[in-house]
Amino acid sequence: MVTLDLRHVASPAVRDLLHLVNHPDFDRVQQQIERLGGCTEPVRLTGHTTTVDTTTGEVLRAYTSSAEPTGSLLTACGNRRSSRCPACSRLYAADTYHLIRAGLTGGKTVPDTVRTHPRVFATLTAPSFGPVHNCPDTRRCRCGTRHEPTDPLLGTPLNPATYDYAGAVLFNAHAGALWARFTTYLRRELAVRLGLTQKAARAVLRVSFAKVAEYQKRGLVHFHAVIRLDGPDGNTQPPPAHATVAVLSDAIRAAAPRARISVDSDAVGERELGWGQQLDVREIAAFGTDAELSDQAVAAYVAKYATKSADASGTLDRALHCRPCQGRGATLLPHGAPLPCTTCDGTGQTRPVPRLAVARHVRQMIRTCWELGRLPEFADLKLWKWAHMLGFRGHFSTKSRSYSTTLSALRAARRTWRNEQSHAHAGLPKHDPATTLVVGQWDYLGSGYSPGAALLAAHVWHRSELERQFTAEGGC
């Protein structure tokens, strides 16, 4: 390897890139980065793995990360947030799309007959906690201004002094539990409409769903859900003939207002949390039709929002609490005395709330999370931990067990396919999984690239984006 004098190169990233390119095994470095498809925050691992034939004891294949040019193996971060890793979030969105569509049209171990089951696309929204700036189609906002769609005032309170920030944060914190309560009442309402007891209804009917959370501009979550009726064994059986789309839609409209959660606190008083008045329930068109709300459109819509997070409403995409002290501002000594955390200077925050580069409305919601999180009655909500999510503690995309396949199954199938491709490319023979044993040990080394490798990864992502756009525009 030629020694380079790069003192005249001002950029550390360019200097590091030139060192990488000058490495005698640069092709392997580039191969690792290319394989990640532009992942922005890969995980670096050190360790080894050995594949052994259990019948003969022969070592079929051995690998160690020490043989890599950088001394470590890079693996994709797998982050679903597009703001954190566009490459991994796109893969997550593709998996979500196939998961949702399999529950609508079949495939991925789901029978094709599932497309005949009654199914609807429902949207449950948050209630009002005070008037906000909005953008009506034909009228002016309450403030008298006609806002542009990109106006930063949209979603912010008209009067922040009277806006119910405590109620907004508590709604986000209880949104997951509120959904669970809604599904309970939905099953009860279906039983009533079918003229059955709840026990009898469970014997002939099952409610399957897949949902995704989306943040509104005002910082509150609402849920989009595909809700489907199945037989008692799930997607392999149709529901009773009298369990129709009309029955399902009517039951959803009746169950939503009944779902309530009571919250009692000396600091904020007694609250009853529930869904907002805006409830949208629409039938998903049958397979092969040209209707706007088709199975393909619904799957694409849900997949798009599965990769978004609270940062879509102008907040943060990383946790705000200090990890060494777990947001408490202090650690406990062996005899129980508190020791102020030196990492956060006793604030419990990685960054002071007043210095956050966010809108005033978002900052106040984050501040409310911290204030409520310190109260004993809300300790179990851990609002300080979820302040960057404006209090929302649930998963962004969830499904019932019998809706369709799982993300784990999709990832396992992709992993198997990649292993087969890599074995074929390396000219290795196929091995029977029943007679082979893989033994390995891996340790976490760190995350991210060196500055030069980050430039290579950015180029990989940019190139893949150009190829995707070219294909989408009808290129060859």
Side-chain angles (χ1 to χ4, degrees):
M1 182 173 64
V2 179
T3 302
L4 300 177
D5 182 6
L6 302 176
R7 288 175 295 178
H8 63 286
V9 180
S11 171
V14 174
R15 285 203 302 269
D16 184 58
L17 177 61
L18 292 174
H19 278 301
L20 280 177
V21 173
N22 192 48
H23 195 283
D25 205 4
F26 169 71
D27 288 344
R28 175 55 185 165
V29 176
Q30 189 175 26
Q31 182 184 28
Q32 276 210 64
I33 296 175
E34 291 267 1
R35 183 176 56 84
L36 299 180
C39 174
T40 59
E41 201 73 20
V43 179
R44 303 197 307 276
L45 302 174
T46 58
H48 59 85
T49 181
T50 304
T51 305
V52 182
D53 189 326
T54 57
T55 57
T56 64
E58 178 188 1
V59 176
L60 302 176
R61 185 170 181 264
Y63 171 83
T64 176
S65 61
S66 60
E68 297 290 350
T70 58
S72 62
L73 175 67
L74 295 180
T75 60
C77 67
N79 200 309
R80 66 162 189 82
R81 293 176 173 86
S82 57
S83 60
R84 295 283 294 274
C85 183
C88 290
S89 71
R90 176 158 292 164
L91 188 61
Y92 183 91
D95 285 345
T96 303
Y97 172 84
H98 288 292
L99 183 149
I100 297 296
R101 190 167 187 188
L104 294 172
T105 64
K108 312 294 184 183
T109 71
V110 180
D112 295 344
T113 54
V114 76
R115 65 184 60 165
T116 63
H117 296 197
R119 68 266 179 93
V120 298
F121 187 57
T123 300
L124 288 83
T125 62
S128 173
F129 296 98
V132 298
H133 292 276
N134 57 14
C135 185
D137 295 332
T138 59
R139 307 184 310 277
R140 294 180 179 273
C141 175
R142 295 183 185 182
C143 68
T145 305
R146 190 180 298 276
H147 298 288
E148 295 295 328
T150 57
D151 193 335
L153 281 177
L154 289 176
T156 61
L158 293 175
N159 186 357
T162 61
Y163 190 79
D164 185 8
Y165 280 100
V169 167
L170 290 174
F171 174 84
N172 279 350
H174 290 87
L178 197 60
W179 170 265
R181 191 155 298 187
F182 160 73
T183 57
T184 298
Y185 281 111
L186 175 58
R187 295 181 180 95
R188 294 177 182 177
E189 293 292 340
L190 284 169
V192 170
R193 280 153 181 77
L194 296 177
L196 302 171
T197 64
Q198 294 183 47
K199 182 178 180 179
R202 286 195 298 270
V204 299
L205 185 72
R206 174 177 288 193
V207 177
S208 300
F209 66 85
K211 69 174 177 66
V212 64
E214 179 195 359
Y215 275 85
Q216 297 173 308
K217 288 184 178 294
R218 53 183 176 147
L220 296 170
V221 295
H222 63 268
F223 291 137
H224 303 289
V226 175
I227 304 177
R228 190 188 68 215
L229 294 182
D230 296 330
D233 293 335
N235 54 46
T236 59
Q237 282 185 315
H242 50 289
T244 62
V245 169
V247 170
L248 175 59
S249 301
D250 188 48
I252 292 173
R253 293 188 176 93
R258 291 188 62 189
R260 297 283 174 177
I261 292 180
S262 296
V263 177
D264 192 9
S265 166
D266 292 337
V268 300
E270 186 175 350
R271 304 292 182 94
E272 189 176 60
L273 305 174
W275 301 110
Q277 295 181 355
Q278 294 184 355
L279 173 65
D280 184 37
V281 183
R282 290 185 287 171
E283 179 182 2
I284 300 175
F287 177 77
T289 63
D290 296 328
E292 179 181 355
L293 196 64
S294 63
D295 46 36
Q296 183 176 356
V298 169
Y301 187 80
V302 172
K304 178 180 72 172
Y305 285 107
T307 61
K308 293 190 175 183
S309 57
D311 61 294
S313 63
T315 185
L316 311 172
D317 64 353
R318 297 175 186 268
L320 187 60
H321 69 280
C322 174
R323 294 192 180 276
C325 67
Q326 288 297 301
R328 299 180 180 89
T331 56
L332 294 179
L333 296 175
H335 57 277
L339 178 67
C341 179
T342 56
T343 304
C344 62
D345 295 329
T347 64
Q349 304 165 359
T350 56
R351 287 166 287 176
V353 173
R355 297 183 184 178
L356 296 177
V358 295
R360 177 184 176 186
H361 173 60
V362 173
R363 185 181 296 110
Q364 184 57 41
M365 289 197 71
I366 293 175
R367 184 180 291 113
T368 303
C369 286
W370 277 91
E371 293 172 352
L372 294 180
R374 299 301 182 187
L375 299 177
E377 57 266 40
F378 297 131
D380 60 322
L381 298 180
K382 297 183 179 180
L383 291 173
W384 48 267
K385 182 179 180 180
W386 303 104
H388 67 296
M389 304 287 284
L390 308 185
F392 179 60
R393 306 175 299 136
H395 293 285
F396 267 78
S397 59
T398 57
K399 73 173 190 68
S400 60
R401 182 173 299 178
S402 63
Y403 176 79
S404 68
T405 185
T406 64
L407 291 176
S408 296
L410 293 174
R411 291 164 183 161
R414 181 167 56 248
R415 192 181 307 115
T416 300
W417 181 84
R418 285 179 174 174
N419 288 338
E420 292 175 352
Q421 293 295 310
S422 62
H423 277 67
H425 184 266
L428 299 174
K430 292 184 178 181
H431 302 296
D432 185 1
T435 61
T436 55
L437 176 66
V438 179
V439 181
Q441 178 180 345
W442 294 96
D443 298 312
Y444 174 76
L445 181 63
S447 299
Y449 296 104
S450 67
L455 291 179
L456 289 176
H459 170 70
V460 171
W461 170 247
H462 179 67
R463 189 181 64 205
S464 66
E465 278 293 277
L466 290 178
E467 292 174 353
R468 186 185 65 84
Q469 294 175 10
F470 181 71
T471 302
E473 293 171 358
C476 300

